[in-house]
């Protein structure tokens, strides 16, 4: 794709003088767009989370630029956005994230830390999420946690551990549904070709 975009003026011009005119306009614009794109990727890499630590105070996100972001249990407040629960799920791009009210504003707590161009991957995000919810339940019993969080993130509500059996059961169910859809569509296509 990159090579096709680089050679686009060659493909659309029939004469040499047309190629020169198009290239004088096209390549500077292309260079500016590429520069801004790489600058954007570099800025995303700078705020990439490379480590997450959870202790008695809260969760600490260590970023690549050596800054640390904290969400402390003492900063958590009762939520006005959710009707019944103070710790709830918020959907963003078909993915659920933990949402809490901290320091007067809604804060999404994301434990994967992956962005485009990221060199780091948090491998124990599920365990970290369970540990954070355990900290909320133990250190802030006044806050209500949505029970759907335990179901969605496969967390055992009694032991606050990642429930691997429930997670694998979700994966198997999804695989079966996808397999049945593929089988049904293949069978349907085969029946249509017979008619």
């Amino acid at each position: 794709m990159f090579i096709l975009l680089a050679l686009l003026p060659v493909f659309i011009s029939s004469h040499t003088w047309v190629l020169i005119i198009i290239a004088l306009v096209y390549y500077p614009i292309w260079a500016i767009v590429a520069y801004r794109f790489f600058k954007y990727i570099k800025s995303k890499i700078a705020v990439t989370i490379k480590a997450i630590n959870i202790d008695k105070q809260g969760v600490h996100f260590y970023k690549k630029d050596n800054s640390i972001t904290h969400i402390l249990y003492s900063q958590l407040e009762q939520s006005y956005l959710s009707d019944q629960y103070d710790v709830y799920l918020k959907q963003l791009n078909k993915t659920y994230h933990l949402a809490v009210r901290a320091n007067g504003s809604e804060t999404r707590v994301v434990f994967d830390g992956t962005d485009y161009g990221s060199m780091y991957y948090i491998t124990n995000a599920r365990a970290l999420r369970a540990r954070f919810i355990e900290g909320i339940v133990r250190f802030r019993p006044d806050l209500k946690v949505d029970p759907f969080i335990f179901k969605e993130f496969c967390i055992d509500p009694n032991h606050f551990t990642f429930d691997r059996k429930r997670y694998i059961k979700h994966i198997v169910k999804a695989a079966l549904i996808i397999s049945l859809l593929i089988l049904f569509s293949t069978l349907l296509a085969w029946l249509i070709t017979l008619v």
Side-chain angles (χ1 to χ4, degrees):
M1 184 69 183
F2 182 77
I3 295 171
L4 282 174
L5 286 174
L7 297 175
L8 184 65
V10 174
F11 295 134
I12 62 172
S13 61
S14 56
H15 301 294
T16 307
W17 62 273
V18 174
L19 173 64
I20 293 171
I21 293 172
I22 291 174
L24 286 174
V25 174
Y26 177 75
Y27 287 119
I29 292 172
W30 198 60
I32 291 169
V33 169
Y35 170 75
R36 290 189 180 263
F37 174 74
F38 288 118
K39 189 175 177 184
Y40 171 75
I41 292 296
K42 189 175 179 182
S43 71
K44 282 293 192 182
I45 289 174
V47 296
T48 299
I49 297 169
K50 65 179 183 177
I52 301 174
N53 186 19
I54 297 178
D55 57 13
K56 289 189 272 187
Q57 282 79 34
V59 61
H60 313 282
F61 297 97
Y62 297 91
K63 298 183 179 181
K64 187 178 179 210
D65 62 353
N66 294 327
S67 65
I68 302 172
T69 304
H70 308 281
I71 300 176
L72 304 176
Y73 298 129
S74 61
Q75 296 173 335
L76 300 181
E77 303 168 352
Q78 291 184 342
S79 176
Y80 301 115
L81 299 177
S82 179
D83 295 336
Q84 301 172 351
Y85 303 107
D86 303 314
V87 182
Y88 52 95
L89 293 176
K90 193 82 171 189
Q91 189 171 7
L92 177 70
N93 297 333
K94 298 181 182 180
T95 304
Y96 283 113
H97 297 286
L98 276 175
V100 294
R101 184 173 170 85
N103 292 331
S105 65
E106 181 186 63
T107 304
R108 292 187 181 149
V109 186
V110 182
F111 286 99
D112 57 7
T114 56
D115 284 318
Y116 298 112
S118 176
M119 298 182 304
Y120 300 99
Y121 179 72
I122 308 298
T123 56
N124 61 343
R126 292 180 184 98
L128 289 169
R129 191 181 296 121
R131 175 84 185 228
F132 180 66
I133 293 171
E134 178 185 13
I136 292 173
V137 170
R138 290 181 193 244
F139 300 118
R140 292 297 306 271
D142 58 319
L143 300 178
K144 294 182 216 160
V145 179
D146 188 355
F148 185 63
I149 291 174
F150 298 107
K151 190 178 207 179
E152 179 64 27
F153 292 135
C154 298
I155 298 171
D156 183 10
N158 299 324
H159 304 290
F160 296 102
T161 57
F162 175 66
D163 192 356
R164 190 174 304 272
K165 288 180 184 177
R166 188 187 311 167
Y167 179 72
I168 290 174
K169 201 182 288 185
H170 285 268
I171 298 297
V172 169
K173 282 181 185 177
L176 283 173
I177 290 170
I178 291 170
S179 299
L180 287 174
L181 285 174
I182 290 172
L183 181 68
F184 179 72
S185 62
T186 305
L187 183 64
L188 187 64
W190 179 69
L191 287 174
I192 289 173
T193 57
L194 289 178
V195 175

